[in-house]
Amino acid sequence: MPNRSTTPPFSHVSGTAPIRALSLGAGVQSSALLIMSANGELPKLDYAAFADPGWERPETYAALDRLEDEVARPAGIPVVRLSAGDIRRDALDPTSRFATMPLFVKNLNGTRGMLRRQCTSSYKVKVLLAEARRRLGAEELPDGRVGRVKRGLSLEQWIGISTDEFARAKDSGVLYARNRFPLIELGLAREDCERYLAEHGFDAVSRSACVGCPYTSDQGWRTLRDEHPEQWNEAVAFDHAIRHGSARANAGGIALRGQAFLHPSLKPLDQAPIDPPAIRRVRGHLRLLPAHEEWTGSPDGCGPWACRSGSAALSPAAAETRQPRRAA
């Protein structure tokens, strides 16, 4: 842990709240918050909610299982797994509504754009807020939705954002769920959380993200290909299947204007330049051949109210591409 002379004690994050919840992504920061609460270093959580888009990486599900078994359950903190569907299935099913992912698009004029990012809101934020309303006593509606919260009621929702990601801290946008950022209040950075996790036997926690997330770095794609071939094959097949947009849009005659890809090179994933350049000696000097621009993705992971921006991939002038109302 960081030096206590410069870091406020954990009891600094105090106060009272009728209900105290954690948005649990099973990544570094939210895992640290769960363990701190379970160990009594932070106030006791009433529940931790994992919003599952249905296509998280295998290591994320494994980390979630372990956190629930070894940390949350012994401390009496319920882990609630929420779902708005399966993002991969929804994209490929012509009968399902698909909230678009930030896919890279090769426009008709050859320029690169991106589809509007709706996945974080639809598969994470909305289900977390529905659970918050449920916990605050809102009525369960016949169609499965959760009704409104009585005026004046609210809960405290912890978000795992650390000091090095301060700019990502956002309000929930609703009055009944007040976002709070204990790591920022405590002055803790990601590296502090990593040390804390290692001290408590959780030293291999990865960032939460979907298998087919377009913001995956080249290194992340290589890891998926080399260590998780089953998920790599799923991503390759998905990349091929979404070339002209979602199955429902195509079935409805609303074709994508251009072609969609998971990789910013605008090449099929299994042909994308995800490997480092070859190195060879030319006249006594080491040279990289061919020239290669490593796609670094975003180091921030994917979480509600803190979706990665992908700004490293696109220039400020890169246009957002949306599915049109009519086929091109």
Side-chain angles (χ1 to χ4, degrees):
M1 289 299 300
N3 190 312
R4 288 301 181 91
S5 65
T6 58
T7 300
F10 290 132
S11 60
H12 174 73
V13 181
S14 59
T16 59
I19 299 175
R20 188 176 288 114
L22 169 66
S23 173
L24 177 63
V28 170
Q29 288 97 326
S30 64
S31 296
L33 286 176
L34 178 64
I35 296 173
M36 290 175 188
S37 177
N39 289 344
E41 296 168 314
L42 285 177
K44 176 74 176 293
L45 288 160
D46 292 289
Y47 72 95
F50 178 78
D52 185 5
W55 202 22
E56 290 271 1
R57 296 169 183 169
E59 54 266 36
T60 299
Y61 291 119
L64 179 65
D65 290 341
R66 187 183 173 203
L67 285 168
E68 183 172 16
D69 292 342
E70 300 180 19
V71 178
R73 188 175 295 116
I77 301 173
V79 172
V80 184
R81 305 190 187 210
L82 308 170
S83 176
D86 184 315
I87 191 170
R88 177 169 66 114
R89 182 198 61 208
D90 293 345
L92 304 180
D93 183 352
T95 66
S96 294
R97 180 184 179 278
F98 175 55
T100 54
M101 300 165 64
L103 300 169
F104 297 98
V105 174
K106 183 177 182 179
N107 295 317
L108 295 178
N109 62 1
T111 61
R112 182 177 64 187
M114 296 188 81
L115 289 181
R116 178 184 298 183
R117 183 177 62 245
Q118 298 174 324
C119 47
T120 303
S121 174
S122 295
Y123 290 93
K124 293 194 174 185
V125 173
K126 288 183 179 179
V127 293
L128 289 171
L129 292 181
E131 180 65 18
R133 295 196 299 276
R134 188 178 294 110
R135 296 277 174 162
L136 290 169
E139 181 184 3
E140 296 271 1
L141 303 177
D143 60 2
R145 293 182 299 142
V146 182
R148 294 178 179 272
V149 174
K150 291 182 179 180
R151 187 182 297 274
L153 295 180
S154 66
L155 58 73
E156 182 177 286
Q157 188 163 236
W158 292 3
I159 310 297
I161 293 178
S162 46
T163 56
D164 49 303
E165 303 171 349
F166 180 84
R168 302 172 70 221
K170 301 175 184 177
D171 187 73
S172 69
V174 297
L175 295 177
Y176 57 83
R178 295 177 289 107
N179 283 356
R180 190 168 185 182
F181 307 93
L183 296 175
I184 293 177
E185 294 181 42
L186 296 172
L188 299 179
R190 180 185 175 87
E191 61 182 14
D192 299 321
C193 296
E194 290 174 334
R195 283 197 294 268
Y196 180 84
L197 290 174
E199 291 171 2
H200 291 80
F202 288 80
D203 56 353
V205 177
S206 63
R207 295 180 173 92
S208 172
C210 285
V211 169
C213 180
Y215 290 142
T216 300
S217 66
D218 283 348
Q219 180 180 356
W221 287 127
R222 292 194 295 270
T223 299
L224 194 70
R225 180 194 62 193
D226 299 340
E227 299 180 12
H228 302 286
E230 180 179 350
Q231 284 71 37
W232 167 256
N233 290 335
E234 288 179 358
V236 168
F238 181 82
D239 173 76
H240 175 76
I242 50 82
R243 194 70 71 233
H244 299 290
S246 71
R248 180 171 180 175
N250 282 278
I254 309 175
L256 181 70
R257 290 179 179 172
Q259 293 182 312
F261 298 85
L262 288 180
H263 194 269
S265 65
L266 305 181
K267 294 181 179 180
L269 185 57
D270 55 352
Q271 300 175 28
I274 65 172
D275 287 303
I279 301 177
R280 79 179 190 188
R281 188 173 295 276
V282 179
R283 295 180 181 179
H285 299 282
L286 293 178
R287 293 186 179 180
L288 298 179
L289 298 173
H292 176 79
E293 181 180 357
E294 180 87 359
W295 162 227
T296 58
S298 169
D300 299 329
C302 183
W305 296 282
C307 183
R308 34 179 150 183
S309 66
S311 57
L314 298 173
S315 67
E320 178 186 77
T321 303
R322 303 179 183 178
Q323 291 194 14
R325 294 179 180 275
R326 297 180 182 277

